[in-house]
Amino acid sequence: MARERVDAVELADLLAAELDLVRAEREAAQVLLTEKDEAILDQTQEISHWRGEASLMREKAAMLEGKLAGLEQALAQIASGRVASSTSGTAKVD
């Protein structure tokens, strides 16, 4: 009976040590998972920032395209006025 008691105590010690190892591994895995989650969050925030920047750049490009179209139209009007004035001998500006 005494030997069975010693065996049970040794087994309990082994199981307690194994449990401690499993808990330590779980804690290490949780720390790693938290670090990965934080890295993903940082990357997500950076992606969101760059999407906002891209949206602003698209808006600016559209505005510049509008300005460019207006300038091209004005230039065409000036050019057609010069052509008309050179052929008719009078200056004509629309």
Side-chain angles (χ1 to χ4, degrees):
M1 173 89 71
R3 181 66 191 153
E4 290 174 358
R5 189 166 188 79
V6 169
D7 288 344
V9 169
E10 288 176 358
L11 182 58
D13 287 343
L14 288 173
L15 290 174
E18 184 68 24
L19 181 60
D20 289 342
L21 286 174
V22 170
R23 285 180 177 157
E25 288 177 13
R26 184 187 69 190
E27 185 176 334
Q30 286 176 333
V31 167
L32 183 61
L33 183 59
T34 299
E35 290 172 358
K36 296 292 183 184
D37 285 344
E38 290 171 356
I40 290 169
L41 179 61
D42 289 345
Q43 290 173 351
T44 301
Q45 290 171 343
E46 188 170 344
I47 289 168
S48 178
H49 167 76
W50 287 113
R51 282 185 176 159
E53 289 288 321
S55 179
L56 291 175
M57 294 303 280
R58 281 191 291 277
E59 290 174 14
K60 187 173 183 177
M63 180 192 68
L64 291 173
E65 284 180 27
K67 283 185 175 182
L68 178 62
L71 291 172
E72 287 174 340
Q73 183 179 11
L75 183 60
Q77 288 175 348
I78 291 169
S80 68
R82 285 189 181 154
V83 169
S85 68
S86 69
T87 58
S88 67
T90 59
K92 179 182 171 188
V93 177
D94 291 334

